[in-house]
Amino acid sequence: MLQIAEHISLKPYHTFHIEVYAKYFVEVKSVADLLKLMDTTIYKEYPNLIMGGGSNLLFCKDYEGLIIKNTIKGIELLNEDDTYVYIKANAGEVWHELVQYCIEKGYGGIENLSLIPGCVGAAPMQNIGAYGIEIKEVIQEVHALHKDSKQIEIFSNEACQFAYRESVFKRALKNQYIILSVVLKLTKKPLLNTSYGAIQAALAAKNIEHPSIKEVSEAVIAIRSSKLPNPAVLGNAGSFFKNPEITKEAFEVFSKQFPTAPFYPSINEQVKIPAGWLIEQCGWKGKVIGNTGAHKEQALVLVNYGNAQGNEIYNLALAIQQSVKEKFNIEIEPEVNIYI
Ligand code: EPU
């Protein structure tokens, strides 16, 4: 049954836990419901926002439109051979539950992405990534509903135009599609990526030389839990900014001035600098300003210490951006979607 509610608090539905209201709110449990919703006057007359786990959103004011919470569930084994399995997961599945399901079945490829908050539908949108893996490495297809034609279209990995925290759904096709499901190509024979220093250290501390996918997942969970605040306890949206990428030439100038800065090579001869380091160097790490601040273990994560308004967090983000620009001449760009 499709029920459009009015004037709903979004506090429980997004991980910053800010008290804002949606004019209309609806939960959609099936594609049929979604199609029915698209025929309603409210859908046709108001702007809409598709919400999964609400883990990458900052609301600075009430949402004067329709929030569509996608809770279309289901995980299905589509195909398998000796080496690979093809798993279709619907957008409303909780991402970490999918990771756990795959680990239990022995399907490798997403164990490094353990404990990332949010739902499956958001994963391709921003090409989620952590600890040496991005979801683009295992995505076979993305199935999405075209809002205008109401047809389901299948995007190949290439058509998704994945890049660091980017996809075609955030850029050229923004707001045109509703992601319904993803098909992942996972391995039956573990092909682990334990190159990330903290994973190696966590495994070494337990004397694990030949880890299973479950042990890699446990290492990632331990690292995340030690560094990143749990959004159920302290409102936050994970990394607030993307790590900036600068040209090789700019990096040469930068590294002479700041020789201790961490950096990673990136695509197209660019160099990626961790925004967390830049923010910490500007003195923001652990700083509390009113109801908000940059987290004490990871400066890239802005937190809501209680009753923060969206604007307080937004203003903090602006001040951080400005000080990074002044000190390093580097622009940092929010990763979080901000509704001003
Ligand atoms: N660093 C600092 N100070 C800080 C934070 C980090 O100096 O306050 C330094 C660290 O010492 C390290 C470097 O920055 O040398 C990188 O830090 P970290 O490994 O914590 O990763 P990150 O680059 O800050 C990215 C992702 C995270 C992901 C981690 C692990 C982005 C925007 N963030 O953070 O993703 O978990 O790598 O792979 O790319 C998220 O997107 O919400 C998220 C948490």
Side-chain angles (χ1 to χ4, degrees):
M1 250 284 276
L2 195 63
Q3 262 185 332
I4 303 182
E6 251 180 273
H7 194 64
I8 291 294
S9 168
L10 294 177
K11 196 171 179 171
Y13 295 108
H14 68 125
T15 60
F16 257 125
H17 304 307
I18 290 164
E19 184 74 291
V20 281
Y21 285 80
K23 186 165 180 66
Y24 296 109
F25 182 94
V26 67
E27 198 177 321
V28 164
K29 296 195 174 98
S30 66
V31 178
D33 269 2
L34 194 52
L35 291 169
K36 237 185 265 167
L37 176 70
M38 289 170 135
D39 279 335
T40 62
T41 317
I42 291 174
Y43 177 86
K44 287 177 189 163
E45 289 186 357
Y46 286 89
N48 60 69
L49 170 67
I50 316 293
M51 197 186 241
S55 58
N56 211 28
L57 293 170
L58 174 63
F59 290 101
C60 294
K61 60 174 189 203
D62 290 347
Y63 187 72
E64 295 299 332
L66 170 66
I67 300 273
I68 304 171
K69 182 156 169 63
N70 183 341
T71 56
I72 306 175
K73 301 267 186 200
I75 301 176
E76 197 186 335
L77 172 67
L78 291 184
N79 207 346
E80 62 184 310
D81 55 31
D82 287 348
T83 320
Y84 297 110
V85 284
Y86 296 85
I87 299 285
K88 183 176 178 192
N90 285 334
E93 287 288 337
V94 172
W95 172 259
H96 184 61
E97 288 175 11
L98 172 66
V99 173
Q100 285 177 313
Y101 169 92
C102 292
I103 287 168
E104 245 155 61
K105 300 267 182 195
Y107 306 153
I110 51 174
E111 56 282 355
N112 293 40
L113 305 180
S114 295
L115 215 61
I116 292 185
C119 287
V120 167
M125 181 71 80
Q126 61 208 9
N127 180 24
I128 56 169
Y131 307 105
I133 294 280
E134 286 182 341
I135 196 180
K136 72 168 193 207
E137 287 155 53
V138 295
I139 282 196
Q140 182 79 4
E141 290 170 355
V142 173
H143 297 205
L145 183 72
H146 189 230
K147 283 179 167 180
D148 286 345
S149 71
K150 296 184 187 168
Q151 297 296 309
I152 296 175
E153 292 178 28
I154 297 178
F155 290 77
S156 66
N157 181 302
E158 204 188 358
C160 294
Q161 295 177 22
F162 290 123
Y164 169 59
R165 296 296 195 270
E166 286 294 347
S167 75
V168 76
F169 305 107
K170 268 181 84 177
R171 295 278 168 190
L173 301 180
K174 190 172 176 175
N175 293 333
Q176 293 182 34
Y177 286 85
I178 298 173
I179 293 174
L180 298 176
S181 58
V182 298
V183 177
L184 303 180
K185 180 183 179 179
L186 303 174
T187 53
K188 286 180 175 173
K189 297 170 186 162
L191 206 79
L192 302 176
N193 180 337
T194 53
S195 58
Y196 199 89
I199 294 187
Q200 284 176 5
L203 293 171
K206 286 183 146 186
N207 289 321
I208 299 172
E209 269 183 47
H210 302 288
S212 61
I213 52 176
K214 188 160 200 260
E215 284 164 335
V216 172
S217 167
E218 282 165 358
V220 168
I221 290 172
I223 300 162
R224 285 190 79 96
S225 310
S226 72
K227 270 196 179 183
L228 298 169
N230 178 352
V233 179
L234 198 58
N236 75 87
S239 303
F240 195 91
F241 300 98
K242 291 200 240 179
N243 288 331
E245 292 167 300
I246 60 175
T247 62
K248 239 176 157 181
E249 294 72 37
F251 180 70
E252 269 168 32
V253 178
F254 171 85
S255 63
K256 280 204 184 91
Q257 213 182 340
F258 305 102
T260 58
F263 63 93
Y264 319 98
S266 184
I267 50 162
N268 302 332
E269 304 251 300
Q270 303 264 99
V271 182
K272 205 185 262 180
I273 317 282
W277 185 86
L278 298 169
I279 297 169
E280 179 173 349
Q281 296 301 306
C282 291
W284 293 104
K285 192 172 184 172
K287 208 172 194 175
V288 180
I289 297 161
N291 291 307
T292 179
H295 193 246
K296 61 180 189 333
E297 303 294 342
Q298 168 50 293
L300 191 51
V301 179
L302 306 190
V303 297
N304 172 8
Y305 283 110
N307 297 312
Q309 302 284 309
N311 269 331
E312 277 182 271
I313 295 172
Y314 181 57
N315 288 336
L316 172 67
L318 291 177
I320 289 175
Q321 271 175 317
Q322 198 183 337
S323 65
V324 168
K325 172 81 182 151
E326 277 164 16
K327 189 172 168 77
F328 297 103
N329 195 26
I330 291 178
E331 312 253 4
I332 54 172
E333 194 190 319
E335 192 209 312
V336 168
N337 296 306
I338 304 171
Y339 291 87
I340 303 166

